[in-house]
Amino acid sequence: MTHEQKNILSVRDMGREEIDKLLCSAAAFDRGNYTGHELDGKLLAVLFFEPSTRTRMSFSSAMMRLGGKILNLGSVEATSITKGETLSDTIRVISGYCDAIVLRHPKEGAARLAGEVASVPVINGGDGAGQHPSQTLLDLFTIRESMPIENIDVGLQGDLRYGRTVHSLAFALSKYNNIRLHTIAPDGLNFPKFIKEDLQDVGVELIVHDHIEDALPELDVLYVTRLQRERFPDPVAFANYASTYRITPELLELAKPSMIVLHPLPRVDEIDPAVDDLPCAKYFEQAHNGVPIRMAMLNEVIN
Amino acid sequence: MVRTSSDGIVISPIKNGTVIDHITPGEGLTVLRILGIRDGTHVTVIVASNVTSSRGGRKDMVKIENREILKDEVDKIALVAPDATISIIRNFKVSDKKPVEVPQRIVGVIKCPNPNCITNTKEPVQSKFVVHPRGFRCQYCDSLISSEMDIGDYI
């Protein structure tokens, strides 16, 4: 296997076979099918240049469950980055300290740059509004636990313009058969034109809805993302949208009984806590699935 | 010596230099910008814009005295004028003539339109674009410079 093949930078680079292999591997880890010594003696550098709780902790948990150890960058303020060091130099140096790197960075394409200069495998832990492959894999894994990933209708609701999780998920779903994507987003926050065109190029059926009520009866999966307050110059407009796009038990009465609700978390107001106890609420399981998926990814790139 | 083009515009020949013909109409000034020829230049330049093309339709044409353009300049011109031809003139004769070719991979030429792309930071990295059916795709952030956009703005 070449150095290039060991990086996991974008679901756009991954074939259906590679994705399925990781999902199967994650399922085995989730069933407890591991010794805890798979990555004995290995070190993972966790370089997060912007805040994260779930991604950082679940990668750490995954590494330690496989017997490996963590080198944590810590806060950016306490590092040489504040002295003006480039990301390229940081990655080159830290490559010599570890067996793999997980990078979270605010700039799009940062992970690909890191993959070019690193001498160890790089996993993209999210770059800007770009790619977040480990989140996408755990999203797929969660869907697959409830239904086969084919011939399904998936609703994507919220900030689809800047939300990297929905971009990645849409491209990953495009690799499966007969998927219809329904988008539900405020004006100006739907998919960027080039993403729509890219999805249409690979044969995805995209259906745009103005109201969640129109989409709900058709959906097998509803994937909700957070509306970011800072995207709305007018606080009143934000409040209106936030109430319009809020998922409640009453609203979910329109959905199929088998439909599942996912959310990459953290949520703010977009899902009523009263939904948490309904059988359709899978978002906490989804968050927990981050560990077996990341175990599969680390085992794949390091071993 | 003078030569008369088919629509009656007289364009002087050059003794030595480069003739860039069949430039996409309106892109002649972009070609000059790519070549670094700006206000205050001492280079002798002839620009014809929106003249009748022998292939039909309209074209721009640029003639530059005493300068033979370089391969990387040709690659840049290909991005804004994919049908252009480049003729090297020596002693009033065409010593070499060839069409431009749009390279499949364009390194360090186009600026990514995404301000948040890693290539638009202080990182020591050159932009990399690949040709895409709808334009040019950034290999770092996946942004697309579509055919509808003016690629000259990003060179």
Side-chain angles (χ1 to χ4, degrees):
Chain A
M1 189 181 273
T2 66
H3 170 66
E4 185 69 24
Q5 287 169 312
K6 282 189 176 181
N7 296 328
I8 300 180
L9 304 177
S10 165
V11 288
R12 282 183 183 240
D13 302 339
M14 300 171 78
R16 162 84 183 266
E17 203 172 289
E18 188 183 357
I19 292 173
D20 284 341
K21 183 183 169 198
L22 284 168
L23 297 182
C24 287
S25 173
F29 285 123
D30 196 36
R31 290 192 299 270
N33 192 8
Y34 60 99
T35 64
H37 299 289
E38 284 80 358
L39 298 182
D40 271 353
K42 302 293 186 184
L43 279 170
L44 175 69
V46 181
L47 308 186
F48 277 50
F49 289 81
E50 60 178 22
S52 161
T53 306
R54 280 156 295 280
T55 306
R56 183 169 52 80
M57 291 193 69
S58 60
F59 265 114
S60 302
S61 169
M63 189 64 182
M64 289 190 274
R65 283 177 187 274
L66 293 174
K69 292 185 175 150
I70 302 294
L71 280 174
N72 205 327
L73 175 73
S75 72
V76 170
E77 292 73 25
T79 68
S80 294
I81 289 112
T82 56
K83 298 175 189 167
E85 186 177 50
T86 62
L87 174 67
S88 307
D89 280 1
T90 304
I91 295 290
R92 280 193 185 97
V93 170
I94 290 176
S95 287
Y97 301 162
C98 63
D99 299 289
I101 291 171
V102 177
L103 177 71
R104 161 72 63 93
H105 199 276
K107 296 287 180 187
E108 280 106 73
R112 205 169 288 286
L113 172 63
E116 285 178 356
V117 299
S119 56
V120 295
V122 173
I123 296 176
N124 186 358
D127 56 353
Q131 293 287 323
H132 196 355
S134 66
Q135 176 69 46
T136 299
L137 289 168
L138 76 87
D139 295 340
L140 291 176
F141 183 76
T142 310
I143 295 171
R144 206 175 77 145
E145 285 192 319
S146 294
M147 66 195 80
I149 312 177
E150 60 178 15
N151 194 30
I152 56 173
D153 288 74
V154 179
L156 304 170
Q157 179 187 295
D159 180 355
L160 310 187
R161 181 173 183 81
Y162 299 100
R164 62 186 164 211
T165 58
V166 280
H167 299 170
S168 283
L169 179 60
F171 283 110
L173 287 168
S174 75
K175 298 170 194 289
Y176 290 83
N177 296 328
N178 202 18
I179 305 289
R180 285 165 301 282
L181 292 181
H182 301 252
T183 64
I184 309 117
D187 285 344
L189 290 183
N190 216 313
F191 277 143
K193 184 168 176 270
F194 79 94
I195 289 191
K196 268 192 242 176
E197 289 173 341
D198 284 352
L199 288 168
Q200 284 159 349
D201 281 350
V202 291
V204 170
E205 189 180 346
L206 270 177
I207 304 147
V208 179
H209 297 274
D210 292 330
H211 302 102
I212 178 71
E213 290 86 348
D214 300 335
L216 264 180
E218 298 180 56
L219 302 181
D220 299 291
V221 177
L222 173 61
Y223 194 97
V224 184
T225 63
R226 187 164 52 95
L227 287 175
Q228 297 174 66
R229 193 180 295 270
E230 60 271 25
R231 305 285 182 213
F232 294 83
D234 177 2
V236 177
F238 174 76
N240 284 340
Y241 278 123
S243 60
T244 305
Y245 286 81
R246 183 174 166 84
I247 305 300
T248 62
E250 296 72 33
L251 187 65
L252 290 172
E253 286 173 13
L254 295 171
K256 295 176 191 173
S258 59
M259 190 195 78
I260 62 171
V261 179
L262 303 181
H263 190 302
L265 302 180
R267 69 170 156 177
V268 184
D269 294 319
E270 55 278 3
I271 300 179
D272 186 330
V275 174
D276 297 357
D277 297 327
L278 300 179
C280 64
K282 298 289 183 190
Y283 30 89
F284 292 116
E285 285 176 45
Q286 182 187 359
H288 297 162
N289 288 337
V291 175
I293 275 292
R294 284 157 179 145
M295 290 169 81
M297 295 170 82
L298 291 169
N299 194 50
E300 176 70 17
V301 301
I302 298 174
N303 254 341
Chain B
M1 284 175 70
V2 292
R3 193 176 69 186
T4 306
S5 74
S6 54
D7 63 352
I9 293 174
V10 177
I11 303 173
S12 300
I14 55 174
K15 182 176 182 185
N16 293 298
T18 304
V19 175
I20 308 164
D21 200 359
H22 298 290
I23 299 169
T24 311
E27 296 292 352
L29 295 177
T30 310
V31 168
L32 290 186
R33 185 160 55 81
I34 288 170
L35 296 175
I37 298 170
R38 298 168 200 277
D39 288 351
T41 180
H42 297 294
V43 178
T44 303
V45 181
I46 301 165
V47 182
S49 197
N50 292 312
V51 295
T52 304
S53 168
S54 57
R55 299 176 187 171
R58 296 273 161 178
K59 67 177 182 180
D60 284 10
M61 181 195 282
V62 169
K63 294 186 176 192
I64 309 155
E65 281 271 10
N66 297 321
R67 177 163 165 193
E68 295 186 7
I69 66 173
L70 306 171
K71 171 76 172 67
D72 66 325
E73 293 172 325
V74 174
D75 288 348
K76 290 180 188 176
I77 290 167
L79 301 177
V80 296
D83 299 321
T85 55
I86 310 275
S87 298
I88 303 299
I89 310 295
R90 290 177 189 142
N91 201 22
F92 292 111
K93 290 186 178 165
V94 176
S95 73
D96 188 20
K97 180 175 183 176
K98 56 192 168 191
V100 299
E101 285 179 30
V102 179
Q104 287 303 300
R105 197 156 181 267
I106 303 141
V107 178
V109 172
I110 310 175
K111 181 178 161 63
C112 183
N114 173 7
N116 207 41
C117 177
I118 194 74
T119 58
N120 287 325
T121 65
K122 63 176 183 176
E123 291 296 324
V125 57
Q126 289 189 302
S127 69
K128 294 190 185 84
F129 280 78
V130 290
V131 174
H132 181 274
R134 289 196 308 278
F136 301 94
R137 165 92 70 202
C138 174
Q139 286 206 289
Y140 287 92
C141 74
D142 295 330
S143 289
L144 189 73
I145 300 178
S146 76
S147 313
E148 298 158 10
M149 298 159 80
D150 186 353
I151 192 166
D153 291 345
Y154 302 101
I155 294 175

